[in-house]
Amino acid sequence: MTRKITPEWEALLFELDRRREIALASSGPERIAREHKYGRSTARERIAKISDPGSFLEIGTFVTTPTEDGSLLASTFVCGVCEIDGRPVAIGAEDYSVEGGGTGVHLARYKGGWGGFVEEFALGYKIPLVMLINGVGGSVILQDQIGYPELQSANPTYPMFELLDHVPVLAAVLGPTAGSSAARAHISHFSVMTSDNGCLFAGGPPVVKQALGLDIDKFALGGVAIHTRASGLIDNQAENEDEALAQVKQVLAYLPDNVSARPSTRSEWQANDQEDLLTIVSPTLRRAYDVHALVRCLVDQDTFFEIAPDYGRSLRTGFARIEGHTIGILASDARFVAGSLEVQSSLKQAKFVELCDRFHIPIAYLVDVPGFLVGPKAEEAGVLKFGAMALRAIQQAKVPVITVQVRRSYGLGGVATGSRNPMSIRFVWPSAAWGDMPIEGGVEAAFRGQLDAAPPELRAALKAELTKRFEEQTSIWRAIENFGAEEMIDPRDTRKYLARLVKLAYRKTLGT
């Protein structure tokens, strides 16, 4: 039986529905059509794409944006809680079609995006936060509603940085983004940007034109080529927003809800043929190999997700699974600067190791590193300064670091590939070689005076004699005989060892 609604309630519910229609209309059909023309969606459309059907519970639906004629316009920011693959997630999305998705400086309290409700909600409930970014940051129109200029140093950032210590924060840049919104993308554990529409900058082309007199295209100023290869501000690129949202879901699946939990495990998995390792990697040190093939062979089939593939390419980082358990992968890539650790790869290592350590993910490091990059450009760039950051991160990691010595490991670059915490261990392939520096270069450095004093026709023979002597002294078998590394293994047994130790790590009680 349907009960009759009283006139008083009818009036109130009518106003509620009217305002809901305004909120759900976003910026109106014309502006929405323009966004669709460029291959961009509205904030709610993006949330619907990434969340489980019917799971989005919106908060702050009836917040409005000021207009010149005083009419009601939807909010520049949409947020709430949803489920992604059955997991509760706090989510916020800037609506570029409404006043450029500008930060809600006119509100009594930010809804989110630069600190605010949705960030506090994620921190309070200890659930992951997903940010869908496409906004201009500040807006003079919204600023005008305050009636006075704000002192920027007084603006709070809580809890953007605090969140990073407690829950996964993932960001997708899905269109033009500037100012605080652009900075927000980097205040995350993982970020992805679209190549068709994504671009971000501290100040856009009009600002650059005014400040520097320079005409520049927005993609040349801050597109994916800039931020995934040069600046390192963004981890990954995607062709379009659907692919970007799919990457966010992939990374989230490897991470726990918060730092008090472990990542979930998968009961079903498939291993690859480990015999392939002997054809992928050559024991000849000067022969490069496909490190992606090496990683994919070792881990469960179709589980390796690379992070920051275009930045610091001498080191590959990403998540994978071994027998259903999440593991962090670092792997030297000798195809780029011979696998040396340079500025970009050092920064990349530090960030990724800290991410794994934060969320209790064991690390496997596949090592083939000749050391830190040398030369005047490397020194000028501060390679040792940034290399020390990579070294510090892995040496201070509390999770197990399983170092697999595939081939080379020399100098401080080698030190930055392992940890001495009690759960860490070093496995060595018979193809390995290590020391303070490569024998050939070390002999030339140590015996420069003796070699220079020798007659020219005898120098090559003297160098060969010295090299042979030190090769005998630096045999890796001597190191193994003296327990200089924990175990020499057949490459085809690597996965077996990794699986046993990763499962041991997952058995350990957190906080002990």
Side-chain angles (χ1 to χ4, degrees):
M1 171 173 128
T2 304
R3 295 188 179 182
K4 182 175 177 60
I5 299 174
T6 64
E8 294 89 347
W9 272 113
E10 275 190 344
L12 293 172
L13 295 177
F14 175 83
E15 181 64 11
L16 181 72
D17 289 340
R18 184 181 78 86
R19 288 176 177 267
R20 190 184 305 278
E21 286 181 6
I22 292 169
L24 298 182
S26 184
S27 57
E30 291 185 5
R31 292 292 301 272
I32 291 174
R34 190 183 74 171
E35 291 301 296
H36 289 173
K37 178 182 176 181
Y38 286 109
R40 300 194 295 257
S41 304
T42 65
R44 289 186 181 83
E45 287 170 340
R46 288 166 173 165
I47 291 172
K49 285 181 179 182
I50 197 171
S51 60
D52 298 347
S55 69
F56 179 51
L57 178 67
E58 186 168 351
I59 307 294
T61 307
F62 304 105
V63 170
T64 59
T65 300
T67 58
E68 291 185 11
D69 61 7
S71 61
L72 296 180
L73 182 63
S75 176
T76 61
F77 189 84
V78 178
C79 67
V81 62
C82 69
E83 292 186 358
I84 296 178
D85 295 331
R87 296 172 59 187
V89 172
I91 191 164
E94 294 171 331
D95 196 334
Y96 188 76
S97 70
V98 181
E99 195 53 51
T103 305
V105 295
H106 62 295
L107 302 175
R109 178 189 184 193
Y110 287 0
K111 290 176 69 177
W114 189 251
F117 167 78
V118 75
E119 284 93 345
E120 294 171 20
F121 186 86
L123 183 61
Y125 279 97
K126 298 296 188 291
I127 56 176
L129 172 66
V130 170
M131 297 292 296
L132 308 181
I133 298 174
N134 179 193
V136 296
S139 164
V140 293
I141 294 177
L142 299 183
Q143 175 68 46
D144 185 57
Q145 296 298 308
I146 301 175
Y148 59 87
E150 288 189 300
L151 180 63
Q152 294 305 307
S153 62
N155 282 334
T157 61
Y158 178 82
M160 290 192 299
F161 297 101
E162 289 81 358
L163 269 174
L164 298 176
D165 293 332
H166 295 277
V167 302
V169 179
L170 299 91
V173 178
L174 306 174
T177 301
S180 60
S181 296
R184 187 68 181 89
H186 188 63
I187 307 173
S188 61
H189 295 109
F190 171 76
S191 58
V192 59
M193 186 162 73
T194 58
S195 57
D196 61 349
N197 281 304
C199 51
L200 60 81
F201 15 69
V207 176
V208 172
K209 174 69 173 177
Q210 181 182 10
L212 304 176
L214 175 66
D215 285 309
I216 188 168
D217 174 76
K218 61 184 179 181
F219 295 109
L221 178 62
V224 288
I226 300 297
H227 291 305
T228 61
R229 299 176 189 173
S231 75
L233 187 72
I234 298 296
D235 294 315
N236 286 32
Q237 66 171 294
E239 287 189 13
N240 51 50
E241 69 177 48
D242 289 345
E243 184 184 322
L245 297 176
Q247 287 195 32
V248 169
K249 293 180 71 172
Q250 281 181 277
V251 174
L252 182 63
Y254 287 107
L255 298 171
D257 288 338
N258 53 59
V259 295
S260 298
R262 290 196 183 278
S264 62
T265 58
R266 302 287 175 88
S267 58
E268 296 184 2
W269 48 269
Q270 286 186 303
N272 297 290
D273 187 350
Q274 299 303 289
E275 294 290 333
D276 290 343
L277 291 172
L278 300 184
T279 59
I280 293 171
V281 179
S282 169
T284 303
L285 297 180
R286 294 186 179 275
R287 188 174 298 171
Y289 56 89
D290 184 349
V291 73
H292 291 96
L294 167 60
V295 172
R296 292 190 177 105
C297 185
L298 284 172
V299 303
D300 296 350
Q301 284 185 12
D302 302 320
T303 65
F304 179 55
F305 181 89
E306 187 171 4
I307 292 179
D310 300 319
Y311 184 76
R313 292 182 292 175
S314 63
L315 179 69
R316 301 296 174 176
T317 59
F319 292 121
R321 291 189 179 89
I322 290 187
E323 295 194 6
H325 295 70
T326 297
I327 186 170
I329 299 289
L330 293 95
S332 308
D333 193 338
R335 295 172 296 183
F336 299 93
V337 292
S340 300
L341 279 173
E342 34 79 77
V343 170
Q344 289 188 342
S345 53
S346 294
L347 287 169
K348 180 175 171 178
Q349 172 167 318
K351 179 183 177 183
F352 185 71
V353 168
E354 289 167 0
L355 171 60
C356 291
D357 199 34
R358 178 72 61 197
F359 294 109
H360 320 294
I361 298 171
I363 294 169
Y365 204 138
L366 309 178
V367 181
D368 185 7
V369 59
F372 287 128
L373 187 64
V374 299
K377 288 186 178 180
E379 300 297 346
E380 183 179 337
V383 65
L384 289 177
K385 176 175 69 175
F386 296 104
M389 294 170 60
L391 192 156
R392 177 182 179 183
I394 203 159
Q395 289 286 327
Q396 292 189 335
K398 296 179 178 62
V399 295
V401 177
I402 306 166
T403 302
V404 180
Q405 198 61 56
V406 176
R407 296 202 309 196
R408 301 160 300 168
S409 178
Y410 290 111
L412 284 174
V415 179
T417 64
S419 172
R420 292 304 296 266
N421 78 43
M423 293 185 294
S424 295
I425 194 168
R426 285 143 291 277
F427 295 124
V428 178
W429 287 10
S431 51
W434 64 76
D436 288 338
M437 62 180 66
I439 293 296
E440 186 173 349
V443 165
E444 289 196 11
F447 295 94
R448 169 58 56 196
Q450 188 174 338
L451 289 169
D452 288 346
E457 66 274 12
L458 299 179
R459 285 176 189 167
L462 176 59
K463 180 180 176 181
E465 178 186 343
L466 292 168
T467 299
K468 182 178 180 181
R469 186 209 313 173
F470 280 92
E471 283 177 345
E472 292 172 353
Q473 292 176 355
T474 58
S475 165
I476 60 169
W477 289 106
R478 287 194 179 187
I480 296 299
E481 290 166 2
N482 287 278
F483 208 43
E486 283 80 2
E487 185 70 358
M488 174 77 77
I489 63 173
D490 184 319
R492 295 167 292 185
D493 291 332
T494 306
R495 176 182 165 89
K496 177 179 70 176
Y497 280 93
L498 290 174
R500 289 289 295 274
L501 293 177
V502 168
K503 285 189 281 188
L504 274 179
Y506 273 72
R507 290 181 72 253
K508 189 173 183 291
T509 303
L510 291 178
T512 61

